[in-house]
Amino acid sequence: MKSETIQATDNSEAADVVPLTADENKAIYKELRWQGLWKNNPGIVQLLGLCPLLAVTNTVTNALGLAIATLFVLVASNTLISLIRHHVQKAIRIPIFVMIIASLVTCVQLLMNAYTYELYLSLGIFIPLIVTNCIIIGRAEAFASKNSVKHAAYDGLMMGLGFGGVLLLLGAIREVLAQGTLLDGIETMLGEWSSVLTITLYHTDTSFLLAALPPGAFIIMGIIIASKNAIDYHLENRAKKKLVSQAEQSIENKG
Amino acid sequence: MAFISASSPHQRTRRSSSQIMVWVMLCLIPGVALQSYFFGLTNIVQILLAGIVALSAEAAILKLRKRPIINTLKDGSALLTGILIAISIPPLAPWWVVVIGTLFAIIFVKQLYGGLGQNIFNPAMAAYVVLLISFPVQMTSWLPMLSLQPFELSILDQLNTVLTGHTLDGYSVAQMSISIDGLTMATPLDTLKNSLKSGFTTTEIFDSATYKASSSQAIMWVNLGFLFGGAILLAKRIILWMIPISFLAGMMLFSFIAFAYQPDLNGSPLFHLLSGATMLGAFFILTDPVSASTTVKGRLFYGFLIAFIVVLIRNIGGYPDAVAFAVLLGNMCVPLIDYYTQPKVYGGRT
């Protein structure tokens, strides 16, 4: 469903052959932003990549590390796959996509191993597991393999930001509940200077361990999804009321 | 005047949920009274606190959900959940433990699933597990019974401990649980588990000074108190016999198997029956009409299954007591149990 809505506005063949007008282009980018960040958010609407989402978000630092890694892989894989989309046999496209994604993830893993070793240790198995993250193969198959390079890269960026946003929100809530801090251990990622970024909201001898454990992640994730749905419901109601009042006014004017 | 002729049974008492809940609360009194007698009056404080929090949380959520507030509060189920949580936590636990537990039970386990009758998990036990996992230190500091404590604890000391974590003289709960000869005193199940890990046999443990300081007798009496209350519930037909009887029979059977297999490493059936939360669980927790099985055969199996898990965790697992975990695991199996134990419709094909 999600890909259809975009395809309608952005047909790959047409996009390459007929140059789009500036307004059309703008509309496409706006649609991609809206889809990736809110309406079709990979974290809280598509519920893809739940395994890393729930497993590594016990601190903001871990969440940020995974968010950046996923964002990078998503943008790069979308770009590469869009570049080669005319040259890949349809029958073997999935293995080829997976190989591209796997090479990118290996790059990320080696980079993190070299420059942010402690973060690399604390994320552990979840860095190589980005390969199996359904968001990446999902966007490659549903969007990048059918759309122009610019649009595919932008879609990767927006989906990555949407996913990263959910990671950070979940990480922040869990870290505050469990330890009373924010950005604890950020120096493992950004270097010594950044330890000033750590915010301590309150001190406690008895941390609320549940928030740091996977069940807590599930519960908080449920609350985030519920609040997103509540906001949508509220917006929809308001739009409906506006429509009704407009209709009533127009009837009165005519009458 | 019309004569209504109905087939037997001709006389029956109809009880509303609130009457049932009141009876259950009344029947908790013997056990709670014994608990207060042995461990001090702070469990009453915890019960009051839990009751107030439970009622206000329920009222707040009902208001958010736009449901009738007063009528729902009157059914007493929220109050009972709060009371059960307060009974199961250590009497000297800090006040916020019981508050967090009750809020979790009412908001997350009960109301988010749709309120009374909709929750798949027993709210009190789910809250207990959340507390046990989140605050292991506070949830396992059971003090020895008052008469065994190295110094006198006045009621003010106890109150102060609940409110601030220290007695008036500044002793923490951890300091209070160390006796004069430097032995840490815990519950009988705790002592058994820890001593078994350090290589003692059960006979040695039951004779040891540590075990004698573990208020085993007090816990036995409290269990007997709950057994008495439970017997009244059974006699009044507030709860049906299937779950408690099958649970207790299962406890005896499975702990006897373990005991007969390795008497040096496993407690006797009587020890298991009268320690931990066995009796409270059998009559007051497993019998929760919402989250338990609803068919005759299903109830028998449900009690048996939970007994099996309790004995398994107590004898082999890492936690000293297991009623809460076992009840939650049993709750998960209830839809399956109910599906396979549906009674035949009268006259239906076999």
Side-chain angles (χ1 to χ4, degrees), chain A residues 206-210 213 219 223, chain B residues 96 108 130 133-135 138:
Chain A
T206 51
S207 58
F208 189 50
L209 271 178
L210 181 77
L213 295 170
I219 293 170
I223 296 173
Chain B
W96 43 264
F108 285 89
V130 164
I133 290 175
S134 300
F135 313 109
Q138 284 77 9

Side-chain angles (χ1 to χ4, degrees), chain B residues 202-231:
Chain B
T202 43
T203 6
E204 285 170 338
I205 295 166
F206 289 141
D207 278 340
S208 69
T210 332
Y211 182 77
K212 281 177 183 151
S214 70
S215 56
S216 53
Q217 285 176 338
I219 295 221
M220 263 180 206
W221 275 108
V222 172
N223 265 300
L224 287 175
F226 286 127
L227 172 64
F228 179 69

